[in-house]
């Protein structure tokens, strides 16, 4: 389990405040929020790129400060901004940075390059964004990490490779010993594979819930506007249309809804959209 307890970090004019959530082994967590909300900063903290001002970060019971070298050896990452040397080839980058990982395997990297249809001899600066993301993903997998931290990789993948990417992630966690944290604005991907959703707003955690509890906590109601009025105290945000209204509501157990209302669990995108529109009223 990855545990973040009471973490705070000041970054110029931006601040992460009281970050608390857990990520159990064997699961995929989607880290979501508006641009500038702090998602990437949280990933950087998980990577040890930012020193904490306050709080504690632990990986499987190991304090990050005490076991930093050991933990970093077990982390694979794909970042929106590449940390690799643009003047080197993909193969040269993998060999240089592979020296820092005890389990790096050159042949595994080459196999993934072939599987991902990228040229290992290509110079990184001449690669497209999609190719760069595929390279980072291939390198991350080539040193057999326990944890994968991924920052907006899916937007650069074509639909066919996106399916391949999803298959690899689900296969990665199925043994119950590996963990994925995925930042993406393509919430349909999270609807397909995420076990947990953590919603970040202005440097704070609005909620961190497993998918089942997320869809028990919030519901989407659709129907004639007046039929939604009995639930107005629990409506987070409502949109009126020509033929009725649609609202995200905070559900209370055993509530009975009007038969004329369509009631269903929300998608991740709907939860994000309506919480932002409603001022994150929880």
């Amino acid at each position: 389990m990855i545990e973040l307890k009471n973490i705070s970090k000041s970054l110029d004019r931006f601040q992460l405040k009281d970050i608390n959530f857990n990520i159990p082994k064997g699961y995929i967590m989607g880290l979501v929020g508006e641009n500038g909300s702090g998602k990437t900063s949280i990933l950087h903290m998980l990577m040890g790129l930012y020193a904490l001002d306050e709080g504690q970060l632990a990986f499987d019971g190991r304090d990050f400060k005490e076991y930093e070298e050991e933990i970093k050896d077990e982390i694979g990452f794909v970042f929106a901004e590449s940390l690799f040397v643009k003047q080197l080839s993909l193969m040269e980058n993998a060999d240089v940075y592979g020296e820092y990982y005890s389990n790096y395997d050159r042949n595994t990297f080459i196999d993934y390059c072939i599987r991902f249809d990228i040229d290992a001899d290509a110079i990184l600066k001449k690669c497209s964004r999609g190719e760069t993301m595929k390279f980072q993903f291939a390198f991350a997998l080539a040193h057999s990490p326990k944890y994968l931290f991924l920052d907006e990789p899916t937007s650069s993948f074509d639909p066919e490779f996106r399916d391949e990417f999803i298959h690899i992630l689900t296969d990665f966690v199925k043994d119950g010993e590996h963990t994925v944290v995925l930042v993406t604005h393509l919430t349909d991907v999270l609807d397909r594979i995420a076990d947990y959703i953590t919603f970040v707003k202005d440097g704070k955690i609005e909620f961190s819930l497993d998918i089942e509890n997320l869809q028990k906590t919030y519901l989407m109601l659709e129907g004639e506007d007046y039929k939604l009025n009995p639930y107005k105290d629990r409506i987070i945000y409502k949109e009126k249309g020509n033929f009725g209204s649609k609202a995200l509501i905070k559900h209370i157990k055993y509530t009975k809804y009007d038969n004329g209302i369509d009631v269903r669990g929300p998608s991740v995108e709907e939860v994000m959209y309506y919480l932002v529109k409603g001022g994150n009223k929880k």
Side-chain angles (χ1 to χ4, degrees):
M1 177 180 287
I2 303 173
E3 301 172 278
L4 297 88
K5 296 181 180 179
N6 305 318
I7 288 175
S8 295
K9 175 67 180 177
S10 293
L11 300 162
D12 297 325
R13 297 180 181 179
F14 182 75
Q15 186 175 16
L16 293 167
K17 303 176 285 291
D18 298 322
I19 303 298
N20 288 277
F21 62 88
N22 299 329
I23 314 168
K25 288 196 297 184
Y27 293 100
I28 298 172
M29 173 174 281
L31 199 58
V32 300
E34 297 179 283
N35 289 337
S37 62
K39 305 183 301 295
T40 296
S41 296
I42 290 173
L43 280 190
H44 285 174
M45 286 196 310
L46 290 170
M47 283 282 297
L49 298 178
Y50 293 153
L52 308 182
D53 294 340
E54 297 178 18
Q56 183 180 19
L57 172 63
F59 288 70
D60 297 327
R62 299 167 296 170
D63 182 79
F64 187 86
K65 290 181 181 178
E66 185 176 354
Y67 294 92
E68 181 174 354
E69 185 175 346
E70 178 181 312
I71 291 169
K72 283 185 173 180
D73 187 48
E74 299 170 345
I75 294 173
F77 64 89
V78 177
F79 279 174
E81 296 298 326
S82 173
L83 302 180
F84 295 87
V85 180
K86 296 184 182 299
Q87 290 74 25
L88 298 181
S89 70
L90 309 187
M91 191 74 255
E92 289 169 333
N93 265 294
D95 286 341
V96 168
Y97 286 95
E99 292 292 327
Y100 295 95
Y101 295 94
S102 60
N103 291 323
Y104 169 68
D105 186 90
R106 194 174 198 266
N107 290 329
T108 300
F109 173 73
I110 293 171
D111 288 343
Y112 274 115
C113 285
I114 294 170
R115 180 174 175 178
F116 296 169
D117 194 26
I118 52 175
D119 181 3
D121 294 323
I123 302 301
L124 182 58
K125 68 179 179 181
K126 295 182 179 180
C127 292
S128 68
R129 182 174 175 80
E131 290 169 335
T132 300
M133 290 294 189
K134 287 181 180 180
F135 154 66
Q136 290 190 69
F137 193 38
F139 176 71
L141 295 170
H143 59 80
S144 300
K146 287 183 65 176
Y147 318 99
L148 274 176
F149 301 145
L150 312 168
D151 188 11
E152 293 287 4
T154 51
S155 59
S156 301
F157 297 153
D158 58 65
E160 183 177 350
F161 186 76
R162 197 175 298 157
D163 288 339
E164 173 80 351
F165 172 78
I166 288 171
H167 172 75
I168 291 171
L169 292 190
T170 54
D171 191 59
F172 180 77
V173 299
K174 72 179 183 181
D175 66 354
E177 295 297 322
H178 296 77
T179 308
V180 174
V181 181
L182 173 61
V183 172
T184 179
H185 69 274
L186 297 178
T187 53
D188 61 310
V189 172
L190 299 180
D191 284 322
R192 292 173 63 182
I193 64 170
D195 303 294
Y196 289 79
I197 298 294
T198 296
F199 183 69
V200 188
K201 174 68 175 177
D202 296 330
K204 298 178 69 176
I205 302 299
E206 290 296 317
F207 66 76
S208 186
L209 295 169
D210 63 78
I211 289 292
E212 182 178 353
N213 279 312
L214 178 67
Q215 296 197 336
K216 288 180 179 178
T217 302
Y218 301 103
L219 291 175
M220 291 300 303
L221 306 185
E222 294 184 62
E224 295 176 86
D225 189 70
Y226 77 92
K227 291 186 176 181
L228 272 58
N229 286 337
Y231 319 105
K232 62 182 179 181
D233 291 341
R234 291 187 278 125
I235 288 177
I236 292 166
Y237 187 75
K238 180 175 69 174
E239 288 192 330
K240 291 184 178 181
N242 294 330
F243 304 101
S245 294
K246 184 177 179 181
L248 181 72
I249 190 171
K250 184 71 175 288
H251 175 61
I252 296 177
K253 195 174 182 180
Y254 303 124
T255 299
K256 293 184 178 180
Y257 297 97
D258 189 298
N259 289 334
I261 297 174
D262 178 35
V263 182
R264 59 175 174 81
S267 67
V268 174
E269 182 176 9
E270 286 172 328
V271 172
M272 284 181 57
Y273 174 79
Y274 282 83
L275 281 174
V276 170
K277 286 290 187 178
N280 293 337
K281 175 184 172 185
K282 295 184 288 181

